[in-house]
């Protein structure tokens, strides 16, 4: 179900525009570290007094970012998503088969599936009116896979693949990080984590804005939120095996961080100051390090307090003109 009410439409108009700047929200993957993104957006919602999903023309998410993106697109309050991470992350990242890490995924996909379905109910992508992109990877064909809400149909483009796909299935597939969760079958496709190729979906969303929405680069503004990066992930080691020097979980985080950095660099080159990114420096925290949830919330509050003026300016809402909550 959608949390948007009829009486919010007039307020939301401040954030909507059929012309002029085209605003994109791009949300990185990062497992339990996604609480950082949710907390930043919760602060933005409280500042604006309106659902964050109404302030963007396109929302894109990968992996844990797809949970937040999907929730924002259907109007779930971001405070609820913060609470979801706090309550459910310890349950989702509960070891499934101790001692069997060599032959099975580290965690049960069923716990994650239950959390996602409770969050976004039984909506299909064809029922999601806000433009939404969810990144996944087709591991049976070796191809990228992007789920899209019905905006293609609204734009007069062919929309034949995703209309009947449950939003929860698309998000679950995007979250299926290798070695952490089993892949997901959606239709005839075997899918895994979208972060493998688009952990920071900024460039993919920018391409969509230009190619499908017909916007020029000069119109596009991107607000990109990471889930933290480490500046001391690796040090010299005598043995560089998968479980020794490279470290199994650490290697997955390294791949995701590299893709995020590459996407960030390209977006900055193309958009200059129209690209705004929040991505705190953290320790070598893996996707399932749930002991850092409070630290990530504190980092999000700090970064939003320091950058809220820049964020509001990107949305065309200077502080003096912003909407106040009730």
């Amino acid at each position: 179900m959608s949390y948007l009410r009829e009486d919010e439409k007039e307020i939301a108009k401040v954030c909507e525009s059929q012309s002029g700047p085209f605003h994109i929200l791009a949300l990185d993957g990062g497992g339990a570290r996604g609480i950082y993104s949710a907390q930043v957006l919760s602060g933005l919602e409280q500042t604006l007094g309106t659902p964050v999903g109404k302030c963007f023309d396109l929302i894109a998410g990968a992996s844990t970012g797809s949970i937040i993106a999907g929730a924002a697109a259907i109007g779930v309050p971001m405070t609820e998503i913060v609470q979801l991470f706090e309550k459910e992350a310890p349950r989702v990242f509960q070891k499934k088969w101790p001692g069997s890490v060599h032959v099975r995924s580290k965690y049960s996909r069923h716990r994650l599936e239950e959390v996602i379905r409770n969050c976004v109910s039984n909506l299909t992508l064809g029922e999601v009116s806000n433009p939404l992109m969810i990144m996944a990877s087709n591991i049976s064909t070796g191809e990228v896979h992007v789920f899209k809400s019905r905006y293609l149909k609204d734009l007069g483009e062919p929309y034949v693949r995703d209309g009947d796909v449950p939003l929860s299935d698309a998000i679950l597939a995007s979250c299926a990080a290798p070695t952490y969760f089993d892949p997901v079958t959606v239709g005839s496709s075997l899918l895994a984590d979208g972060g493998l190729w688009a952990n920071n979906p900024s460039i993919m969303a920018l391409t969509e804005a230009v190619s499908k929405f017909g916007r020029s680069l000069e119109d596009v503004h991107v607000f990109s939120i990471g889930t933290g990066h480490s500046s001391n992930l690796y040090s010299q080691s005598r043995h560089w095996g998968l479980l020794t020097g490279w470290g199994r979980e650490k290697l997955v985080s390294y791949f995701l961080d590299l893709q995020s950095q590459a996407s960030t660099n390209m977006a900055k080159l193309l958009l200059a100051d129209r690209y705004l990114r929040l991505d705190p420096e953290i320790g070598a925290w893996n996707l399932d390090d749930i002991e850092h949830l409070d630290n990530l919330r504190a980092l999000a509050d700090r970064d939003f307090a320091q950058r809220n003026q820049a964020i509001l300016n990107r949305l065309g809402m200077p502080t003096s003109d912003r909407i106040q909550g009730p």
Side-chain angles (χ1 to χ4, degrees), residues 5-273:
R5 304 190 310 268
E6 288 296 320
D7 61 2
E8 292 175 324
K9 288 185 177 180
E10 290 302 315
I11 297 176
K13 284 181 181 179
V14 177
C15 298
E16 294 180 304
S17 176
Q18 299 299 317
S19 61
F22 186 92
H23 296 289
I24 293 173
L25 175 63
L27 301 170
D28 281 30
R33 298 185 338 230
I35 194 173
Y36 173 87
S37 307
Q39 183 70 14
V40 168
L41 293 176
S42 175
L44 182 58
E45 279 193 340
Q46 292 175 42
T47 299
L48 296 177
T50 195
V52 72
K54 301 300 295 183
C55 298
F56 295 92
D57 300 289
L58 176 62
I59 302 172
S63 197
T64 195
S66 71
I67 299 176
I68 305 165
I74 65 172
V76 179
M78 287 296 104
T79 54
E80 292 189 13
I81 304 305
V82 172
Q83 293 166 5
L84 180 145
F85 275 96
E86 290 178 325
K87 177 182 177 182
E88 301 294 352
R91 191 168 72 94
V92 168
F93 293 112
Q94 178 181 336
K95 294 248 182 349
K96 173 178 159 187
W97 293 295
S100 63
V101 296
H102 297 288
V103 295
R104 294 179 176 178
S105 296
K106 192 174 181 180
Y107 300 106
S108 169
R109 193 184 71 201
H110 300 296
R111 298 190 185 106
L112 177 62
E113 182 175 9
E114 180 184 347
V115 170
I116 293 171
R117 293 196 190 285
N118 288 339
C119 176
V120 299
S121 66
N122 60 352
L123 282 172
T124 64
L125 284 166
E127 295 173 311
V128 177
S129 58
N130 281 347
L132 171 68
M133 300 174 67
I134 292 176
M135 312 300 161
S137 304
N138 191 323
I139 62 173
S140 56
T141 64
E143 298 176 329
V144 302
H145 193 105
V146 182
F147 291 103
K148 301 179 182 182
S149 63
R150 75 175 192 217
Y151 67 87
L152 287 180
K153 181 179 179 181
D154 297 337
L155 292 171
E157 294 272 341
Y159 183 62
V160 296
R161 190 186 68 180
D162 297 338
D164 295 329
V165 174
L167 175 58
S168 59
D169 285 0
I171 294 173
L172 183 64
S174 185
C175 290
T179 75
Y180 285 91
F181 299 104
D182 290 350
V184 178
T185 299
V186 179
S188 60
S189 301
L190 184 62
L191 305 177
D193 192 349
L196 293 173
W197 66 279
N199 199 53
N200 173 357
S202 295
I203 286 294
M204 284 56 68
L206 172 59
T207 301
E208 196 79 351
V210 173
S211 64
K212 299 299 183 182
F213 289 87
R215 295 308 189 101
S216 67
L217 281 178
E218 291 72 22
D219 289 337
V220 178
H221 297 250
V222 176
F223 181 30
S224 170
I225 309 180
T227 60
H229 64 278
S230 174
S231 61
N232 59 347
L233 194 60
Y234 283 107
S235 58
Q236 190 59 256
S237 174
R238 292 182 58 191
H239 304 288
W240 286 97
L242 179 62
L243 299 179
T244 53
W246 286 109
R248 193 173 82 147
E249 290 82 3
K250 187 183 295 186
L251 185 60
V252 174
S253 294
Y254 180 53
F255 287 157
L256 300 184
D257 287 350
L258 281 178
Q259 196 290 321
S260 289
Q261 181 182 2
S263 183
T264 295
N265 292 343
M266 287 185 282
K268 284 181 177 178
L269 287 171
L270 291 170
L271 299 176
D273 62 356

